[in-house]
C-alpha cells in the first residue's frame, strides 16, 4: 500500500518540484491507489505487478490517442519509475473536477449519451499491430461462457438461469471479422466522469487493447436506460455503421461484465450497483 509518507518520498526523489503540494487520499480500486496532489493533479500507484503493466500501457498510448478524442482523458503529465522505494511505474495525471457516473442514477446520464457515442466513434479506429494485448477484452464473447457460468454459480444470483440463457442467445451472434480497432476495455460508469450535465472525461485506460469494439459498447446497458441507450446506439451507428450482430455481442458483454462487477459487493458496492443495473437492462429484450 502506498501511504502518504511513501507518496511524498517518491515525489521528493523523482519530482521534487511537486513534493510540497498537499496530498489527499482518493481511494484504492482493483488496480491502483490514488492520491490527489494539489488542486489539479492526481497520483496513480499500481497495487500489484499485473496492474503495473496497465499503467505502462496508459503511459505509452494515451499521449498518442488523446489528440483524436473529443473529451479529456488522463494523459500522464509526469511518469514515475521503479526504484528502491517502490517496485513499479506510477503516474502523475490530471485531476478532473467531476463525479463518476456510477454515483448518479442512470436516468441522469441521457444528457451526455451523444458525447459518449462520439468518443467511441473517435476511438474505434484501426489499431496498430503493437497495440497492447489483453486476454479478456476485445476477443470472442463466446469465450466468456464458462467464466460467466462459474461466477453465476459462486454468486447464486436469483436470475442466474435467465442470465446464462440470454447470454448464450446473444453470444451466438456472428463473430467480429473486421480489422482490430482501438478499445478502451473498461468504460463502465465508474470510469466515466460527468460535470454540469456533460461528459467531463473518460478515465482508466489500463485495459486498452485492440479487437472487437463490442466489449466497449456494452456500456450502453451498464450506463444508460432504454431511451438514452437508443440515442447512444443511433449516434454510434451514424458514425461507424455497425450491424445488429455488433450490438448483440455488446449486449452479451454487458451481461458478462455486469456479473463480474458483483463479485466483491462489500469492497466495491458502487460497482455491484452498476452490475445490477446492467443485468436488468441487458435482460430486457
Amino acid at each position: 500500500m502506498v501511504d502518504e509518507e511513501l507518496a511524498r518520498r517518491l515525489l521528493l526523489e523523482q519530482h521534487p518540484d511537486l513534493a510540497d503540494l498537499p496530498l489527499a487520499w482518493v481511494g484504492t480500486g482493483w488496480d491502483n491507489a490514488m492520491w490527489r496532489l494539489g488542486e489539479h493533479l492526481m497520483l496513480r500507484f499500481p497495487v500489484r505487478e499485473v496492474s503495473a503493466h496497465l499503467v505502462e500501457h496508459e503511459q505509452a498510448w494515451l499521449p498518442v490517442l488523446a489528440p483524436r478524442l473529443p473529451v479529456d482523458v488522463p494523459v500522464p503529465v509526469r511518469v514515475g519509475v521503479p526504484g528502491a522505494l517502490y517496485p513499479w511505474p506510477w503516474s502523475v495525471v490530471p485531476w478532473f473536477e467531476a463525479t463518476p457516473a456510477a454515483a448518479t442514477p442512470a436516468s441522469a446520464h441521457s444528457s451526455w449519451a451523444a458525447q459518449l457515442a462520439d468518443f467511441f466513434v473517435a476511438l474505434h479506429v484501426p489499431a496498430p499491430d503493437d497495440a497492447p494485448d489483453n486476454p479478456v477484452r476485445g476477443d470472442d464473447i463466446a469465450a466468456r461462457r464458462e467464466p460467466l457460468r462459474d461466477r453465476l454459480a459462486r454468486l447464486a444470483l436469483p436470475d442466474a438461469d435467465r442470465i446464462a440463457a440470454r447470454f448464450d442467445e446473444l453470444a451466438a451472434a456472428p463473430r467480429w471479422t473486421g480489422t482490430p480497432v482501438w478499445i478502451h476495455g473498461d468504460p463502465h460508469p465508474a470510469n466515466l466522469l460527468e460535470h454540469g450535465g456533460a461528459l467531463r472525461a473518460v478515465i482508466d485506460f489500463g485495459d486498452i487493447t485492440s479487437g472487437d469494439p463490442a466489449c466497449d459498447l456494452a456500456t450502453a446497458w451498464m450506463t444508460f436506460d432504454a431511451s438514452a441507450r437508443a440515442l447512444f446506439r443511433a449516434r454510434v451507428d451514424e458514425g461507424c455503421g455497425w450491424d445488429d450482430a455488433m450490438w448483440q455481442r455488446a449486449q452479451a458483454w454487458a451481461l458478462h461484465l455486469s456479473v463480474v462487477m458483483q463479485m466483491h459487493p462489500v469492497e466495491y458496492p458502487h460497482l455491484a450497483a452498476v452490475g445490477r443495473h446492467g443485468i436488468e437492462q441487458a435482460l430486457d429484450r
Side-chain angles (χ1 to χ4, degrees), residues 62-71 118-119 121-128 182:
L62 277 180
V64 176
L65 292 173
R68 72 180 64 165
L69 300 175
V71 298
D118 291 343
F119 167 83
V121 170
L123 177 66
H124 290 161
V125 297
W182 278 114

Side-chain angles (χ1 to χ4, degrees), residues 29-118:
W30 283 348
D31 293 313
N32 296 280
M34 293 158 285
W35 288 85
R36 186 172 181 178
L37 179 64
E39 293 187 21
H40 306 297
L41 299 172
M42 186 175 72
L43 307 177
R44 279 168 56 85
F45 298 101
V47 297
R48 51 199 172 119
E49 184 175 0
V50 66
S51 305
H53 299 301
L54 306 185
V55 167
E56 291 174 330
H57 296 163
E58 291 182 327
Q59 292 174 349
W61 290 106
L62 277 180
V64 176
L65 292 173
R68 72 180 64 165
L69 300 175
V71 298
D72 284 333
V73 296
V75 179
V77 297
R78 302 283 184 93
V79 169
V81 298
L85 294 175
Y86 182 73
W88 302 311
W90 50 280
S91 296
V92 183
V93 300
W95 171 265
F96 300 116
E97 201 64 57
T99 301
T104 61
S107 59
H109 303 161
S110 60
S111 61
W112 45 266
Q115 271 187 284
L116 185 60
D118 291 343

Side-chain angles (χ1 to χ4, degrees), residues 188-199:
H188 57 70
N191 290 334
L192 306 175
L193 304 186
E194 58 183 351
H195 182 72
L199 182 64

Side-chain angles (χ1 to χ4, degrees), residues 216-225 229 232 247 277 281:
D216 276 357
L217 300 178
T219 199
W221 288 267
M222 300 165 72
T223 302
F224 301 121
D225 58 19
R229 183 163 55 252
F232 173 83
W247 293 100
H277 172 80
Q281 296 291 304

Side-chain angles (χ1 to χ4, degrees), residues 2 56 78 124 141 203 214 233 260 272 277:
V2 178
E56 291 174 330
R78 302 283 184 93
H124 290 161
I141 182 56
I203 62 171
R233 175 173 175 171
V260 170
H277 172 80

